[in-house]
Amino acid sequence: MADLNLSTKPGLSVRLRSDWLKAIFRVDLIRHHTLIGLVQHWGETDACEDVISQLDALAEAVQSPREGELDALTEAVEDAAALDTAEIDISLSDALRLRDELDEVIAKLSRFNPQPLAAVPSLPERRTA
């Protein structure tokens, strides 16, 4: 299947899922920051044991998760590793590019998605508002 992501920056992009029923928002930099943050805290002797313990608990729960368990255990790993909030800064040029990518995706989603949508302003209306 052809790649549906025509972005000039695939690591920070919006594209259609292959079935055209949902969008995919890709932000590789968040994963990068998460892994670097985990490894940085891992290097501290006292914190390493806690991080490993929390990762082991999460690994165990992944095998047969209960309602809400994975969220709580993921948060415990984040706390043990002192991870920052999963967010990044986006420049104006990236914001404009993402908006254009999202506009293209929304046009196709609203045409082919069987789920009814509330009224959404058209592109000219939104951009002048």
Short mmCIF file of all heavy atoms in Angstrom, two decimals, residues 29-59 73-86:
data_model
loop_
_atom_site.label_atom_id
_atom_site.label_comp_id
_atom_site.label_asym_id
_atom_site.label_seq_id
_atom_site.Cartn_x
_atom_site.Cartn_y
_atom_site.Cartn_z
N LEU A 29 9.10 13.33 18.23
CA LEU A 29 9.91 14.02 19.22
C LEU A 29 9.45 13.73 20.65
O LEU A 29 10.27 13.67 21.57
CB LEU A 29 9.90 15.53 18.95
CG LEU A 29 10.98 16.35 19.62
CD1 LEU A 29 12.38 15.81 19.32
CD2 LEU A 29 10.89 17.81 19.18
N ILE A 30 8.17 13.49 20.86
CA ILE A 30 7.68 13.16 22.20
C ILE A 30 8.26 11.82 22.63
O ILE A 30 8.73 11.66 23.77
CB ILE A 30 6.15 13.17 22.26
CG1 ILE A 30 5.64 14.61 22.13
CG2 ILE A 30 5.65 12.54 23.56
CD1 ILE A 30 4.13 14.74 22.09
N ARG A 31 8.24 10.83 21.75
CA ARG A 31 8.84 9.53 22.09
C ARG A 31 10.33 9.68 22.38
O ARG A 31 10.85 9.11 23.33
CB ARG A 31 8.60 8.53 20.95
CG ARG A 31 9.21 7.15 21.27
CD ARG A 31 9.02 6.15 20.16
NE ARG A 31 9.53 6.67 18.91
CZ ARG A 31 9.00 6.41 17.74
NH1 ARG A 31 7.94 5.64 17.64
NH2 ARG A 31 9.51 6.91 16.64
N HIS A 32 11.01 10.47 21.56
CA HIS A 32 12.44 10.71 21.75
C HIS A 32 12.71 11.31 23.14
O HIS A 32 13.55 10.81 23.89
CB HIS A 32 12.96 11.65 20.66
CG HIS A 32 14.37 12.08 20.85
ND1 HIS A 32 15.44 11.31 20.48
CD2 HIS A 32 14.88 13.22 21.38
CE1 HIS A 32 16.56 11.94 20.79
NE2 HIS A 32 16.25 13.11 21.33
N HIS A 33 11.97 12.37 23.48
CA HIS A 33 12.14 13.01 24.79
C HIS A 33 11.81 12.04 25.93
O HIS A 33 12.48 12.05 26.97
CB HIS A 33 11.27 14.25 24.91
CG HIS A 33 11.71 15.41 24.08
ND1 HIS A 33 13.02 15.75 23.88
CD2 HIS A 33 11.00 16.32 23.38
CE1 HIS A 33 13.10 16.81 23.10
NE2 HIS A 33 11.89 17.17 22.78
N THR A 34 10.81 11.20 25.75
CA THR A 34 10.43 10.24 26.78
C THR A 34 11.55 9.23 27.01
O THR A 34 11.92 8.96 28.16
CB THR A 34 9.14 9.50 26.37
OG1 THR A 34 8.10 10.47 26.21
CG2 THR A 34 8.73 8.48 27.42
N LEU A 35 12.10 8.69 25.94
CA LEU A 35 13.18 7.71 26.10
C LEU A 35 14.44 8.34 26.70
O LEU A 35 15.08 7.75 27.58
CB LEU A 35 13.49 7.04 24.76
CG LEU A 35 12.41 6.10 24.24
CD1 LEU A 35 12.71 5.66 22.82
CD2 LEU A 35 12.26 4.91 25.15
N ILE A 36 14.78 9.53 26.27
CA ILE A 36 15.96 10.21 26.82
C ILE A 36 15.73 10.50 28.30
O ILE A 36 16.61 10.27 29.14
CB ILE A 36 16.27 11.51 26.05
CG1 ILE A 36 16.66 11.20 24.60
CG2 ILE A 36 17.35 12.33 26.76
CD1 ILE A 36 17.88 10.32 24.44
N GLY A 37 14.54 10.98 28.66
CA GLY A 37 14.22 11.25 30.06
C GLY A 37 14.28 9.99 30.91
O GLY A 37 14.79 10.00 32.03
N LEU A 38 13.77 8.90 30.39
CA LEU A 38 13.81 7.62 31.11
C LEU A 38 15.25 7.18 31.36
O LEU A 38 15.62 6.83 32.48
CB LEU A 38 13.05 6.56 30.31
CG LEU A 38 13.03 5.15 30.88
CD1 LEU A 38 12.28 5.12 32.21
CD2 LEU A 38 12.38 4.19 29.90
N VAL A 39 16.07 7.24 30.33
CA VAL A 39 17.46 6.80 30.45
C VAL A 39 18.26 7.73 31.36
O VAL A 39 19.10 7.26 32.13
CB VAL A 39 18.10 6.68 29.04
CG1 VAL A 39 19.59 6.46 29.14
CG2 VAL A 39 17.43 5.56 28.26
N GLN A 40 18.01 9.03 31.29
CA GLN A 40 18.73 9.96 32.16
C GLN A 40 18.45 9.64 33.63
O GLN A 40 19.36 9.61 34.45
CB GLN A 40 18.32 11.40 31.87
CG GLN A 40 18.95 11.96 30.62
CD GLN A 40 18.42 13.35 30.29
OE1 GLN A 40 17.31 13.73 30.65
NE2 GLN A 40 19.23 14.11 29.57
N HIS A 41 17.20 9.40 33.97
CA HIS A 41 16.85 9.12 35.35
C HIS A 41 17.31 7.71 35.74
O HIS A 41 17.65 7.46 36.89
CB HIS A 41 15.33 9.28 35.56
CG HIS A 41 14.96 9.58 36.96
ND1 HIS A 41 15.29 10.76 37.57
CD2 HIS A 41 14.31 8.85 37.89
CE1 HIS A 41 14.85 10.75 38.81
NE2 HIS A 41 14.24 9.60 39.03
N TRP A 42 17.33 6.81 34.80
CA TRP A 42 17.78 5.44 35.01
C TRP A 42 19.22 5.42 35.51
O TRP A 42 19.61 4.57 36.30
CB TRP A 42 17.67 4.69 33.69
CG TRP A 42 17.83 3.21 33.75
CD1 TRP A 42 18.94 2.51 34.13
CD2 TRP A 42 16.87 2.24 33.38
NE1 TRP A 42 18.71 1.16 34.00
CE2 TRP A 42 17.44 0.97 33.54
CE3 TRP A 42 15.57 2.34 32.90
CZ2 TRP A 42 16.76 -0.19 33.26
CZ3 TRP A 42 14.89 1.18 32.62
CH2 TRP A 42 15.48 -0.08 32.80
N GLY A 43 20.02 6.37 35.05
CA GLY A 43 21.42 6.43 35.43
C GLY A 43 21.65 6.77 36.88
O GLY A 43 22.76 6.57 37.40
N GLU A 44 20.65 7.29 37.55
CA GLU A 44 20.79 7.61 38.98
C GLU A 44 20.53 6.33 39.77
O GLU A 44 19.46 5.73 39.69
CB GLU A 44 19.79 8.70 39.37
CG GLU A 44 20.01 10.00 38.62
CD GLU A 44 18.90 11.01 38.87
OE1 GLU A 44 18.13 10.84 39.84
OE2 GLU A 44 18.80 11.95 38.07
N THR A 45 21.51 5.91 40.57
CA THR A 45 21.46 4.64 41.27
C THR A 45 20.19 4.44 42.09
O THR A 45 19.54 3.40 42.00
CB THR A 45 22.69 4.48 42.19
OG1 THR A 45 23.86 4.72 41.40
CG2 THR A 45 22.75 3.09 42.78
N ASP A 46 19.81 5.43 42.87
CA ASP A 46 18.62 5.31 43.71
C ASP A 46 17.34 5.18 42.88
O ASP A 46 16.45 4.41 43.22
CB ASP A 46 18.49 6.50 44.66
CG ASP A 46 19.64 6.56 45.66
OD1 ASP A 46 20.26 5.50 45.89
OD2 ASP A 46 19.89 7.65 46.20
N ALA A 47 17.26 5.93 41.81
CA ALA A 47 16.06 5.93 40.98
C ALA A 47 15.97 4.69 40.11
O ALA A 47 14.86 4.23 39.79
CB ALA A 47 16.03 7.17 40.11
N CYS A 48 17.09 4.12 39.74
CA CYS A 48 17.12 2.97 38.83
C CYS A 48 16.27 1.81 39.35
O CYS A 48 15.48 1.24 38.60
CB CYS A 48 18.56 2.52 38.60
SG CYS A 48 18.71 1.17 37.42
N GLU A 49 16.41 1.48 40.60
CA GLU A 49 15.63 0.37 41.19
C GLU A 49 14.13 0.64 41.10
O GLU A 49 13.36 -0.26 40.77
CB GLU A 49 16.04 0.18 42.65
CG GLU A 49 17.52 -0.07 42.85
CD GLU A 49 17.81 -1.52 43.13
OE1 GLU A 49 16.89 -2.27 43.44
OE2 GLU A 49 18.99 -1.88 43.00
N ASP A 50 13.73 1.89 41.39
CA ASP A 50 12.31 2.24 41.35
C ASP A 50 11.78 2.17 39.91
O ASP A 50 10.70 1.65 39.66
CB ASP A 50 12.09 3.63 41.95
CG ASP A 50 10.62 3.94 42.19
OD1 ASP A 50 9.82 2.99 42.33
OD2 ASP A 50 10.28 5.13 42.24
N VAL A 51 12.56 2.69 38.96
CA VAL A 51 12.15 2.65 37.55
C VAL A 51 11.99 1.21 37.09
O VAL A 51 10.98 0.84 36.47
CB VAL A 51 13.15 3.41 36.65
CG1 VAL A 51 12.84 3.19 35.18
CG2 VAL A 51 13.15 4.90 36.98
N ILE A 52 12.96 0.36 37.41
CA ILE A 52 12.89 -1.05 37.01
C ILE A 52 11.69 -1.74 37.64
O ILE A 52 10.96 -2.48 36.98
CB ILE A 52 14.20 -1.79 37.38
CG1 ILE A 52 15.34 -1.30 36.49
CG2 ILE A 52 14.03 -3.31 37.25
CD1 ILE A 52 16.72 -1.81 36.89
N SER A 53 11.44 -1.46 38.89
CA SER A 53 10.30 -2.05 39.59
C SER A 53 8.98 -1.65 38.92
O SER A 53 8.10 -2.49 38.70
CB SER A 53 10.32 -1.61 41.06
OG SER A 53 9.16 -2.02 41.71
N GLN A 54 8.87 -0.37 38.59
CA GLN A 54 7.64 0.12 37.95
C GLN A 54 7.49 -0.44 36.53
O GLN A 54 6.38 -0.79 36.11
CB GLN A 54 7.60 1.65 37.93
CG GLN A 54 7.58 2.29 39.30
CD GLN A 54 6.41 1.85 40.16
OE1 GLN A 54 5.35 1.49 39.67
NE2 GLN A 54 6.62 1.85 41.47
N LEU A 55 8.58 -0.55 35.80
CA LEU A 55 8.53 -1.14 34.46
C LEU A 55 8.15 -2.62 34.53
O LEU A 55 7.37 -3.11 33.69
CB LEU A 55 9.88 -0.98 33.74
CG LEU A 55 10.19 0.42 33.21
CD1 LEU A 55 11.64 0.51 32.76
CD2 LEU A 55 9.24 0.79 32.07
N ASP A 56 8.67 -3.33 35.52
CA ASP A 56 8.31 -4.74 35.70
C ASP A 56 6.81 -4.88 35.98
O ASP A 56 6.15 -5.78 35.43
CB ASP A 56 9.12 -5.37 36.84
CG ASP A 56 10.55 -5.67 36.45
OD1 ASP A 56 10.85 -5.70 35.24
OD2 ASP A 56 11.38 -5.86 37.37
N ALA A 57 6.27 -4.02 36.84
CA ALA A 57 4.84 -4.07 37.16
C ALA A 57 4.00 -3.78 35.91
O ALA A 57 2.99 -4.44 35.66
CB ALA A 57 4.51 -3.07 38.27
N LEU A 58 4.43 -2.82 35.12
CA LEU A 58 3.72 -2.49 33.87
C LEU A 58 3.80 -3.66 32.90
O LEU A 58 2.79 -4.04 32.28
CB LEU A 58 4.31 -1.22 33.25
CG LEU A 58 3.70 -0.75 31.94
CD1 LEU A 58 2.20 -0.48 32.07
CD2 LEU A 58 4.43 0.50 31.44
N ALA A 59 4.97 -4.27 32.75
CA ALA A 59 5.14 -5.42 31.85
C ALA A 59 4.23 -6.57 32.25
O ALA A 59 3.64 -7.23 31.40
CB ALA A 59 6.60 -5.86 31.84
N LEU A 73 -0.34 2.33 36.02
CA LEU A 73 1.04 1.82 36.01
C LEU A 73 1.94 2.64 35.09
O LEU A 73 3.13 2.84 35.38
CB LEU A 73 1.05 0.34 35.62
CG LEU A 73 0.46 -0.59 36.69
CD1 LEU A 73 0.28 -1.99 36.15
CD2 LEU A 73 1.33 -0.58 37.94
N THR A 74 1.40 3.11 33.98
CA THR A 74 2.18 3.99 33.10
C THR A 74 2.53 5.27 33.84
O THR A 74 3.66 5.76 33.77
CB THR A 74 1.38 4.30 31.82
OG1 THR A 74 1.10 3.09 31.14
CG2 THR A 74 2.16 5.22 30.90
N GLU A 75 1.57 5.81 34.56
CA GLU A 75 1.82 7.02 35.35
C GLU A 75 2.88 6.75 36.43
O GLU A 75 3.73 7.60 36.71
CB GLU A 75 0.53 7.51 35.99
CG GLU A 75 0.65 8.88 36.60
CD GLU A 75 -0.70 9.42 37.04
OE1 GLU A 75 -1.64 9.40 36.24
OE2 GLU A 75 -0.76 9.88 38.20
N ALA A 76 2.87 5.56 37.01
CA ALA A 76 3.87 5.21 38.02
C ALA A 76 5.27 5.17 37.41
O ALA A 76 6.24 5.62 38.04
CB ALA A 76 3.52 3.87 38.67
N VAL A 77 5.39 4.66 36.19
CA VAL A 77 6.69 4.66 35.50
C VAL A 77 7.12 6.10 35.23
O VAL A 77 8.28 6.46 35.47
CB VAL A 77 6.63 3.85 34.18
CG1 VAL A 77 7.91 4.05 33.36
CG2 VAL A 77 6.40 2.38 34.45
N GLU A 78 6.19 6.91 34.75
CA GLU A 78 6.51 8.32 34.47
C GLU A 78 6.98 9.03 35.74
O GLU A 78 7.95 9.80 35.70
CB GLU A 78 5.29 9.04 33.89
CG GLU A 78 4.92 8.56 32.50
CD GLU A 78 3.56 9.09 32.04
OE1 GLU A 78 2.78 9.62 32.86
OE2 GLU A 78 3.27 8.95 30.84
N ASP A 79 6.31 8.76 36.85
CA ASP A 79 6.71 9.38 38.12
C ASP A 79 8.07 8.87 38.59
O ASP A 79 8.92 9.66 39.00
CB ASP A 79 5.66 9.10 39.21
CG ASP A 79 4.36 9.84 38.98
OD1 ASP A 79 4.34 10.79 38.17
OD2 ASP A 79 3.35 9.47 39.61
N ALA A 80 8.30 7.56 38.50
CA ALA A 80 9.57 6.98 38.94
C ALA A 80 10.74 7.51 38.11
O ALA A 80 11.83 7.73 38.63
CB ALA A 80 9.52 5.45 38.85
N ALA A 81 10.49 7.74 36.83
CA ALA A 81 11.54 8.24 35.94
C ALA A 81 11.56 9.76 35.86
O ALA A 81 12.36 10.33 35.12
CB ALA A 81 11.35 7.65 34.54
N ALA A 82 10.67 10.42 36.61
CA ALA A 82 10.58 11.89 36.62
C ALA A 82 10.45 12.45 35.21
O ALA A 82 11.13 13.41 34.84
CB ALA A 82 11.78 12.49 37.35
N LEU A 83 9.56 11.85 34.41
CA LEU A 83 9.37 12.29 33.03
C LEU A 83 8.54 13.57 32.99
O LEU A 83 7.62 13.75 33.79
CB LEU A 83 8.69 11.19 32.21
CG LEU A 83 9.49 9.92 32.03
CD1 LEU A 83 8.68 8.89 31.26
CD2 LEU A 83 10.80 10.19 31.32
N ASP A 84 8.87 14.43 32.04
CA ASP A 84 8.12 15.66 31.83
C ASP A 84 6.80 15.36 31.12
O ASP A 84 6.58 14.27 30.61
CB ASP A 84 8.92 16.64 30.98
CG ASP A 84 10.15 17.18 31.71
OD1 ASP A 84 10.10 17.29 32.95
OD2 ASP A 84 11.15 17.47 31.03
N THR A 85 5.95 16.37 31.05
CA THR A 85 4.70 16.26 30.32
C THR A 85 5.00 15.97 28.85
O THR A 85 5.96 16.51 28.30
CB THR A 85 3.91 17.59 30.43
OG1 THR A 85 3.73 17.89 31.81
CG2 THR A 85 2.58 17.50 29.75
N ALA A 86 4.18 15.14 28.23
CA ALA A 86 4.39 14.75 26.83
C ALA A 86 3.89 15.86 25.90
O ALA A 86 2.80 15.80 25.36
CB ALA A 86 3.67 13.44 26.53
#
